Amino acid sequence: PRIHYQRGTLCARAVECDHNRSLNLSVHISMSTNKLELAAVTSPAGEKQYQPVAPGSPTDNMMSPCSKHLAKSRTRGVPLNIKKPAPNTTEYKLSTQVRPLPNPCGDIELVLGSQSSARKDVFHALDWKFKQIAAKIDEKLVRHEDPMEMPVLIAKAKATSLIETLKVSVGQDPVILVTCDQIVLFNNQIREKPESKEQAKEYLLSYGNKAVSTVSAVVVTHLPSGVQKSGVEVATIYWKAIPMGLVNQVVDRGEVLQSAGGFIVEDQDLNPCIKGIDRTIDSVLGMPVGLTVQLMEALVGEVEHQSTGDNSTSTP
């Protein structure tokens, strides 16, 4: 679409092909926070089609994470995965939100470099054939002050470790390795897996009637070429009140101790306490399907392009 700049506002004219009608999109850039916001969508007759209501989230008061991420994407090829918030639903379950999809890798062997049962469940829901291997690294040794950067660095460290384990050399069948990491942001603080039941209870109680964001990083690596793509997706969960008795019951079962931020949205007791989620559940589970497919397609395309270039160069 054509883009017009008007002192802090980007206006684009787009055509909706299915209905053969034009829409005017007004996108506002806040000069104080550098945040990109969809202000309104109107028809040529001036009829308003969309006026977003943006509830607050834990990332709102951070030092321009969106701008920092966008700036880095220009140099490292990380796509900024922005999409319209999913409608509120009472079915926060993987079985209702993730359906089988064609594997973008085709016949190339797919390896999920994660011990997470939630990520494995997402791959099963997609009906993808894959092998699961856990990376053996100390995640606490990989630190970064930017919450958009740290999970990417950890996911890349996992990939580096598994590349040594898989040992795919030139001439062997190729492999596409998927590694991930996730952190949770609450009140501008990074939360990883709780270190004790007491901390897990503290985490859960603090979420009552508030919002918490997950930052999920995905890294896909082609072996043996070493071509790699990475990206980040943020999802925000809005909670109702969480009673103390329910907190004790959830923590005593122990599963939340293995989850970043100390919560599992599919938990039978926690699920009814969710007021809304601005993305689908796969993103909250640390395996955002849309982002993963996008990265896989870009990876396969680049590898095929390189292979075509090599063949054309070697042709007499």
Side-chain angles (χ1 to χ4, degrees):
R2 292 182 300 171
I3 306 296
H4 310 279
Y5 178 69
Q6 300 174 351
R7 293 186 60 83
T9 300
L10 288 174
C11 295
R13 185 174 179 81
V15 176
E16 188 177 7
C17 298
D18 290 343
H19 303 288
N20 193 28
R21 59 191 179 91
S22 298
L23 297 175
N24 293 319
L25 286 72
S26 178
V27 184
H28 176 70
I29 300 177
S30 170
M31 294 306 179
S32 59
T33 64
N34 290 331
K35 290 178 66 178
L36 187 66
E37 302 166 348
L38 181 61
V41 178
T42 59
S43 66
E47 180 182 349
K48 188 166 290 186
Q49 304 287 329
Y50 173 65
Q51 183 66 44
V53 177
S57 77
T59 57
D60 284 351
N61 297 324
M62 296 178 61
M63 185 62 70
S64 304
C66 183
S67 296
K68 288 164 65 177
H69 182 38
L70 182 58
K72 286 171 184 169
S73 72
R74 294 170 181 165
T75 58
R76 74 176 186 213
V78 180
L80 185 62
N81 198 33
I82 301 175
K83 70 176 185 179
K84 183 179 177 180
N88 285 342
T89 175
T90 56
E91 287 291 323
Y92 302 111
K93 296 180 181 179
L94 190 62
S95 59
T96 61
Q97 296 193 4
V98 176
R99 302 295 186 188
L101 287 175
N103 187 340
C105 302
D107 296 329
I108 302 177
E109 182 181 3
L110 181 62
V111 174
L112 175 61
S114 171
Q115 64 181 357
S116 166
S117 59
R119 294 188 179 104
K120 178 183 70 174
D121 290 343
V122 173
F123 268 35
H124 281 312
L126 291 168
D127 198 24
W128 289 355
K129 293 181 179 179
F130 66 98
K131 179 167 64 176
Q132 187 174 21
I133 303 176
K136 297 179 180 179
I137 68 166
D138 186 352
E139 297 181 16
K140 298 293 185 182
L141 296 179
V142 185
R143 302 288 94 179
H144 198 283
E145 62 182 6
D146 187 345
M148 299 292 179
E149 183 74 20
M150 192 171 83
V152 175
L153 295 177
I154 295 175
K156 287 186 174 183
K158 292 176 181 178
T160 300
S161 172
L162 288 173
I163 288 171
E164 293 297 319
T165 302
L166 293 171
K167 297 185 182 299
V168 180
S169 58
V170 177
Q172 293 181 306
D173 291 337
V175 169
I176 289 183
L177 171 66
V178 180
T179 52
C180 312
D181 190 66
Q182 184 184 67
I183 62 167
V184 167
L185 283 175
F186 181 71
N187 287 343
N188 298 337
Q189 294 182 344
I190 294 175
R191 287 185 172 180
E192 297 179 88
K193 297 173 184 176
E195 298 181 355
S196 65
K197 286 190 174 182
E198 289 70 27
Q199 189 174 55
K201 291 177 182 180
E202 178 187 336
Y203 281 3
L204 280 176
L205 283 173
S206 67
Y207 299 147
N209 293 312
K210 295 182 181 178
V212 59
S213 291
T214 59
V215 181
S216 301
V218 179
V219 175
V220 294
T221 309
H222 180 271
L223 303 174
S225 72
V227 176
Q228 192 174 79
K229 300 290 181 183
S230 59
V232 175
E233 183 166 289
V234 179
T236 300
I237 305 98
Y238 302 90
W239 294 91
K240 303 175 186 176
I242 308 177
M244 184 64 194
L246 187 147
V247 168
N248 290 330
Q249 184 176 334
V250 169
V251 173
D252 287 343
R253 288 203 302 269
E255 289 91 344
V256 294
L257 296 173
Q258 302 303 315
S259 180
F263 65 87
I264 301 173
V265 293
E266 283 197 297
D267 183 273
Q268 60 185 0
D269 294 315
L270 285 179
N271 199 276
C273 295
I274 298 173
K275 185 183 298 182
I277 304 176
D278 67 355
R279 287 186 181 269
T280 49
I281 196 171
D282 47 285
S283 182
V284 181
L285 294 176
M287 193 73 257
V289 172
L291 174 62
T292 303
V293 169
Q294 176 187 354
L295 294 172
M296 285 180 172
E297 290 175 345
L299 181 75
V300 171
E302 182 169 332
V303 171
E304 290 178 349
H305 178 73
Q306 289 186 358
S307 176
T308 302
D310 291 341
N311 291 337
S312 61
T313 302
S314 61
T315 302

